[in-house]
Amino acid sequence: MNKSRLASRRWWYIMPIVFITYSLAYVDRSNFSFASAAGINDDLHITKGMSSLLGALFFLGYFFFQIPGTIYAERRSVKKLIFWCLLLWGGFASLTGVVTNIPMLAVIRFALGVVEAAVMPAMLVYISNWFTKSERSRANTFLILGNPVTVLWMSVLSGYLIKSFGWREMFIFEGIPAVIWAIIWWFSVKDKPEQVSWLSEQEKKALAAQLEKEQKDIQAVGGYREAFRSRNVILLCLQYFFWSIGVYGFVLWLPSILRDGKSMGMVEAGWLSSAPYLAATIAMILVSWASDKMQNRKLFVWPLLLVGALAFFGSWAAGTNNFWLSYSLLVVAAAAMYAPYGPFFAIIPEMLPKNVSGGAMALINSLGALGSFFGSWFVGYLNGNTGSPAASFIFMAVSLLLSAGITLLVRPRKAEIKPKGNVSLT
């Protein structure tokens, strides 16, 4: 069998679908920042404090419903779960454009979080069914690239849509593609390699044998309770909580931060908001390739989070009087925060067996959602009450420093990985 042909075929069939699906999820969680900068607060009489809470409500729904959805995906079907999520989140996203009061907006923001809750860990489960250990960091990165790449083009598109139509039409237009993609997803996706017709029987057996061999290198874990009590899982939950504070404090409020720092229209804010995500995309690709090549995950996580923290400190020190220096450091911070995602999400499937790794990833991602809720709410609160982003830069920098420090404490244990495993987490 030609292994390279097999690998190539899986990448070309699976990754475009994975990338587009997660991209559409990200449109609906990040375009609220543009509406906040473009008039939704005035139209609905939303105070600055309430605006930060409404932006963060998405992550509260995301936190509560992540683990149940992921367990369904792990035990039953990723395909069915994502299909219904796509339909629902597209519908809720478009409904945001017709809200007339704050309670209605709050309900929709929370509901969006609920229906998108299991998407990330379910897609990680899906990837683990199709890609081997030596490929997983790159595969995870192609999934998570949907995040910065989407914010890159969505920042520009949202700026133009708001300028041409308004914030209501922006929400309506940007929710429709998810509903259309749900139909394409249903007819394009199979849960397991053995279910597809575009792999030969020999290719299916070879892939199954390799995935099974990798599982033998990981000691069995009795169930979710034992996995969730693992020292490493607890540390990674804390690490991802603080990391997400920095990421989503940045993502949700960047357009407002830019407009406060320099007088500009929504189109210019959109273009400037896109540059950090272009840098993040390039950094993610390079780091995931290096991580798979060296098979050392932690080395490509904590140093980059440290760089992100230092960049936020630098942006704070530069201040609003040095807009372009401060902005350039924000570009560096974005690249450094996003680059470690692929290696990070490759750690758990290489540390825990398949029967519990999906649930563990959901637990970690749900704590990340809690960090996202707190970060997006508190950054908005600080910006609104201080009148500048200085305090929020310090807050995000400290959060990333804590995340980097906790990463250094993660160690593989004999109870989780047998000594013959060849992936280093150090």
Side-chain angles (χ1 to χ4, degrees):
M1 182 197 71
N2 186 334
K3 285 185 71 175
S4 64
R5 183 183 172 197
L6 170 60
S8 174
R9 195 178 298 179
R10 283 175 298 136
W11 288 101
W12 285 106
Y13 273 79
I14 301 299
M15 296 321 298
I17 293 171
V18 164
F19 175 81
I20 292 170
T21 303
Y22 194 59
S23 294
L24 291 172
Y26 221 81
V27 169
D28 302 325
R29 75 179 65 173
S30 53
N31 57 9
F32 185 81
S33 61
F34 282 87
S36 296
I40 188 174
N41 296 343
D42 294 334
D43 291 350
L44 299 183
H45 309 292
I46 301 171
T47 65
K48 289 183 177 179
M50 179 58 70
S51 178
S52 62
L53 180 61
L54 288 168
L57 266 178
F58 170 93
F59 299 105
L60 203 57
Y62 200 82
F63 167 74
F64 283 117
F65 290 87
Q66 191 148 148
I67 293 176
T70 306
I71 292 174
Y72 176 89
E74 196 169 51
R75 295 182 176 177
R76 293 181 179 255
S77 173
V78 173
K79 175 180 176 176
K80 291 178 182 177
L81 177 71
I82 299 297
F83 171 74
W84 286 109
C85 286
L86 279 162
L87 287 177
L88 290 170
W89 91 54
F92 283 131
S94 290
L95 279 176
T96 311
V98 300
V99 296
T100 56
N101 54 66
I102 293 173
M104 185 178 177
L105 179 57
V107 168
I108 289 176
R109 290 294 296 169
F110 183 81
L112 263 175
V114 169
V115 297
E116 288 190 29
V119 174
M120 171 71 162
M123 297 301 275
L124 290 169
V125 169
Y126 183 62
I127 284 171
S128 71
N129 292 335
W130 285 90
F131 294 94
T132 64
K133 184 167 60 180
S134 63
E135 304 166 319
R136 206 161 283 142
S137 179
R138 283 168 291 158
N140 290 344
T141 293
F142 274 104
L143 164 67
I144 302 165
L145 273 175
N147 175 328
V149 170
T150 299
V151 182
L152 193 161
W153 63 258
M154 188 273 299
S155 296
V156 177
L157 177 63
S158 296
Y160 279 108
L161 285 174
I162 289 170
K163 182 181 179 182
S164 301
F165 301 100
W167 62 265
R168 291 185 180 278
E169 289 78 5
M170 177 199 71
F171 280 122
I172 293 169
F173 292 153
E174 291 183 351
I176 293 170
V179 177
I180 297 171
W181 184 251
I183 309 302
I184 298 171
W185 165 274
W186 182 257
F187 290 103
S188 303
V189 169
K190 302 291 183 184
D191 283 301
K192 302 287 178 64
E194 58 265 29
Q195 297 171 340
V196 301
S197 60
W198 45 266
L199 288 177
S200 69
E201 290 304 315
Q202 186 180 8
E203 289 170 330
K204 293 176 186 178
K205 289 177 182 177
L207 178 58
Q210 179 60 31
L211 292 172
E212 185 179 352
K213 179 183 176 183
E214 291 174 2
Q215 286 295 301
K216 289 178 180 177
D217 291 340
I218 306 173
Q219 196 170 51
V221 172
Y224 289 114
R225 179 175 294 182
E226 184 180 345
F228 291 174
R229 292 171 61 188
S230 153
R231 174 182 179 274
N232 281 336
V233 170
I234 292 170
L235 285 172
L236 290 172
C237 285
L238 291 172
Q239 189 264 16
Y240 200 47
F241 172 85
F242 288 110
W243 182 1
S244 297
I245 284 175
V247 171
Y248 285 95
F250 178 86
V251 169
L252 201 60
W253 300 110
L254 180 60
S256 297
I257 288 171
L258 292 176
R259 294 195 80 187
D260 288 342
K262 183 178 183 291
S263 179
M264 66 179 75
M266 281 307 303
V267 173
E268 186 181 356
W271 279 104
L272 287 178
S273 295
S274 68
Y277 302 104
L278 176 60
T281 300
I282 296 168
M284 287 177 73
I285 293 170
L286 293 175
V287 166
S288 66
W289 174 84
S291 170
D292 275 346
K293 188 173 181 64
M294 294 180 65
Q295 288 291 290
N296 188 325
R297 306 308 188 191
K298 237 170 66 174
L299 181 63
F300 294 95
V301 178
W302 72 264
L304 288 158
L305 295 178
L306 179 60
V307 169
L310 294 175
F312 274 127
F313 276 126
S315 190
W316 162 77
T320 55
N321 292 329
N322 297 290
F323 176 81
W324 291 109
L325 175 59
S326 178
Y327 171 74
S328 298
L329 288 166
L330 289 180
V331 174
V332 173
M337 284 192 298
Y338 275 95
Y341 273 122
F344 177 80
F345 281 107
I347 291 175
I348 286 295
E350 295 166 3
M351 214 167 49
L352 291 169
K354 196 172 182 63
N355 67 311
V356 294
S357 62
M361 287 189 288
L363 178 66
I364 293 166
N365 210 38
S366 66
L367 265 291
L370 198 60
S372 303
F373 169 78
F374 183 65
S376 54
W377 166 71
F378 199 60
V379 167
Y381 174 83
L382 289 173
N383 292 344
N385 282 271
T386 63
S388 92
S392 61
F393 286 167
I394 295 293
F395 173 61
M396 290 186 282
V398 171
S399 297
L400 291 179
L401 277 178
L402 289 169
S403 183
I406 293 170
T407 308
L408 289 169
L409 300 176
V410 177
R411 294 284 187 274
R413 297 189 313 166
K414 290 182 180 179
E416 292 169 327
I417 299 182
K418 292 183 179 180
K420 63 182 179 180
N422 62 357
V423 174
S424 167
L425 299 184
T426 60

